[in-house]
Amino acid sequence: MTGETGKRSYVVGQTEIAARPLDPALYLVATPIGNLADITLRALETLAAADIVACEDTRVSRVLLDRYGIRRRTTAYHEHNAGEAGPKLIAALEAGQSVALISDAGTPLVSDPGYRLVGEALDHGIRVVPIPGPSAPLAALTASGLPSDAFLFAGFLPVKSGQRLARLEALRAVPATLIFFESPRRLAESLGAMVEALGGERKAAIGRELTKTFEEMRTGTLRALADHYAGADTPRGEIVVCVGAAEAKADEPEDIDRLLLSLAAEMPASKAAAEAAKMTGGQKQALYRRLLELKDRP
């Protein structure tokens, strides 16, 4: 597998810019999830300079490359040909060539087979360079209004109902915002399963066609969203579902008392109150006063 020689450049507006040479490496290039203007300048230069551009669907990627005047030949790398195409790309990398890996949209390795190629590259001592950019899960999360300090991307749920419920049950206690991809025709069914497995009162958000002309963010409880889509026409476009974590249940006073006394048996009262605050989310001063009350009891 060989790349092309000759002029390597990209076009921004009416300006043609020469791409600087790339060091031999596997470059993971994030591409727009809809709006082609979301591409980064670094991504454009990397795609223009790479010896080989590997992509899921050459026809999809050609639209982006043509938009920015990048005349690189593309080679297909997807789940159906990874076993054959992967070794060829590794051989090219070992021969000193640069390979840019892109998906149809967004960041490579998120719900595509790119992780196999990265694993093989690392096993062969090949440098892997991330070129960050658009990501549908993060775009939806930031616009959802849900907590973003901890989140879990769970990809697509299983198609079969029993397996889907089992997967959701396994995720029920995860203390983080859950992020899923879903197809339009399965959205209503999946939301119904989420209500059953996770509870209908959780806050949630549906991101559809993000960054595109008909972008939509719909928020509400899981039950409200499930009811809406159960009665609506099948939506169009690519969909991201964000679901808030289950609300933590308040500890019973008796449990907190036992915790405070247990900690106080091993450390000073002030430190015990501080540790209890970390473990329960309570206020240190209030817990300290409660511990003193417990110690003063006959």
Side-chain angles (χ1 to χ4, degrees):
M1 182 179 292
T2 58
E4 296 169 278
T5 59
K7 189 175 184 180
R8 304 189 183 195
S9 62
Y10 57 100
V11 177
V12 177
Q14 301 300 317
T15 304
E16 183 175 3
I17 304 170
R20 293 168 294 182
L22 284 178
D23 292 331
L26 173 60
Y27 296 85
L28 309 176
V29 184
T31 56
I33 59 176
N35 192 322
L36 295 186
D38 288 337
I39 192 75
T40 69
L41 293 176
R42 188 182 179 202
L44 290 175
E45 184 171 47
T46 301
L47 293 173
D51 293 312
I52 299 169
V53 177
C55 51
E56 282 187 273
D57 189 322
T58 57
R59 296 164 299 180
V60 172
S61 297
R62 179 47 57 192
V63 174
L64 172 66
L65 299 179
D66 286 347
R67 168 67 174 78
Y68 290 100
I70 298 173
R71 316 218 183 284
R72 310 305 300 146
R73 184 183 306 160
T74 57
T75 184
Y77 177 83
H78 46 73
E79 61 180 338
H80 302 298
N81 78 340
E84 178 183 355
K88 292 181 180 179
L89 292 172
I90 294 298
L93 288 161
E94 290 190 307
Q97 293 188 289
S98 56
V99 174
L101 176 68
I102 59 179
S103 62
D104 284 349
T107 300
L109 278 67
V110 180
S111 283
D112 71 44
Y115 74 93
R116 302 176 196 167
L117 185 62
V118 171
E120 292 170 5
L122 293 174
D123 289 343
H124 284 79
I126 295 167
R127 183 181 173 210
V128 177
V129 182
I131 309 294
S135 170
L138 292 180
L141 174 64
T142 55
S144 70
L146 297 171
S148 57
D149 56 335
F151 59 90
L152 171 69
F153 174 64
F156 284 95
L157 289 169
V159 175
K160 295 183 178 179
S161 60
Q163 295 175 353
R164 181 167 52 230
L165 279 174
R167 174 66 172 150
L168 289 168
E169 289 283 355
L171 296 171
R172 182 168 57 186
V174 173
T177 297
L178 304 175
I179 306 175
F180 304 91
F181 283 161
E182 193 50 273
S183 72
R185 58 190 175 82
R186 288 201 302 268
L187 178 61
E189 188 177 357
S190 289
L191 288 172
M194 290 177 188
V195 170
E196 180 178 350
L198 305 177
E201 299 312 307
R202 289 202 193 194
K203 294 180 180 179
I206 309 295
R208 188 179 66 84
E209 291 290 84
L210 297 177
T211 78
K212 300 178 184 178
T213 302
F214 299 104
E215 174 181 285
E216 177 186 35
M217 284 296 301
R218 184 178 293 272
T219 61
T221 64
L222 263 181
R223 191 180 308 281
L225 291 171
D227 289 345
H228 170 79
Y229 285 102
D233 293 335
T234 300
R236 295 181 179 180
E238 297 176 343
I239 293 170
V240 183
V241 181
C242 299
V243 181
E247 292 187 8
K249 294 182 179 179
D251 292 310
E252 295 294 332
E254 295 80 3
D255 294 334
I256 295 177
D257 288 351
R258 284 194 292 270
L259 174 63
L260 285 168
L261 291 172
S262 176
L263 292 170
E266 302 178 3
M267 60 188 72
S270 178
K271 187 174 181 180
E275 287 298 314
K278 292 179 183 178
M279 297 170 69
T280 64
Q283 294 184 344
K284 176 184 174 181
Q285 292 181 340
L287 291 169
Y288 180 72
R289 290 195 297 270
R290 178 56 181 167
L291 178 55
L292 295 181
E293 292 175 1
L294 293 172
K295 284 191 170 186
D296 288 341
R297 283 183 178 180

